[in-house]
Structure formats: C-alpha cells, structure tokens
Amino acid sequence: VQLQASGGGLVQAGGSLRLSCAASGRTFSTYTMGWFRQAPGKEREFVAAIRWRGGSTYYKDSVKGRFTISRDNAKNTVYLQMNSLKPEDTAVYYCAGGNGIITSQVRAPSAYDYWGQGTQVTVSS
C-alpha cells in the first residue's frame, strides 16, 4: 500500500490550499482515510477523516467550517480542501489509511496502518 500526499505550500493567512492523497496497492472500499498534522515540537494530531464506503466525515473542532475532506473513488484519491488558513495551521500534513477503524478511534494515529510521506503547509501572518 502506498499513499502519496501532495499539494502543500506557502500561503498567506486567509488563503486556501488543497491537499491530495493518492492511494494505491489495494482496494480501499472498507478503509478510513485520515489527515493528520504535526507542527515542530508538537505531537501528531488528527485533522479530518472520511470513510471510503459511505463517505462519513470527521473533523477536528478547530478546522470545522474551514476544511473539507472528500474522496474520488475513481481516482483512489482523498482531498483536504483548506480555506481561511491561519498561522496555527502551519505543520507537516500526513495522510493515513486504516481498515476496520471504529468511530471512537478515528482520531487516533495508532488506529491507522499506512502513512504517506507528509507535505509541508506554511501559513504566514
């Protein structure tokens, strides 16, 4: 299984970016796909997740209304549209995938089996 994240960059506060995570290597129909981020000196934290089957979504409270996670089944790709970016959103963003993740564990990095390489998002003030 391979997860390839892309789309990071430098943007001013209030701007937007769209991250992509291309998945390959198996069928992901029963998987949950997540986005996590890690800022320097901080632990990796949950940002958003989506169930590949059914499309249920989950968000970190501080990104609700600003970020949207979605998937394209035909392309095996998950997206994270980030609007109204703030300097505190600056981090390396990782996509992750896991099978059979129960709802109470969706926000836990340890529940995910596969991780992409990370893409840097920098928001300037």
Side-chain angles (χ1 to χ4, degrees):
V1 174
Q2 288 191 328
L3 302 178
Q4 183 70 36
S6 61
L10 172 64
V11 64
Q12 289 188 332
S16 299
L17 284 173
R18 188 178 79 157
L19 306 184
S20 299
C21 177
S24 61
R26 65 167 302 128
T27 301
F28 293 91
S29 61
T30 60
Y31 270 57
T32 299
M33 304 299 293
W35 285 99
F36 292 78
R37 66 187 183 189
Q38 189 166 17
K42 295 188 177 181
E43 293 187 352
R44 191 167 299 189
E45 65 175 7
F46 170 79
V47 177
I50 187 167
R51 302 283 193 189
W52 207 282
R53 177 180 294 167
S56 296
T57 57
Y58 309 84
Y59 293 96
K60 178 181 174 62
D61 285 347
S62 63
V63 307
K64 284 181 182 177
R66 300 190 297 124
F67 292 10
T68 303
I69 189 170
S70 62
R71 74 201 190 294
D72 184 326
N73 290 348
K75 296 182 178 180
N76 262 9
T77 299
V78 176
Y79 303 99
L80 185 68
Q81 178 66 44
M82 306 186 294
N83 299 329
S84 302
L85 282 162
K86 303 176 181 180
E88 51 263 42
D89 294 318
T90 295
V92 177
Y93 283 69
Y94 298 89
C95 64
N99 193 20
I101 299 178
I102 60 176
T103 301
S104 62
Q105 293 297 308
V106 163
R107 293 168 174 80
S110 60
Y112 293 78
D113 302 308
Y114 304 104
W115 291 83
Q117 84 285 5
T119 184
Q120 176 71 46
V121 172
T122 303
V123 185
S124 63
S125 57

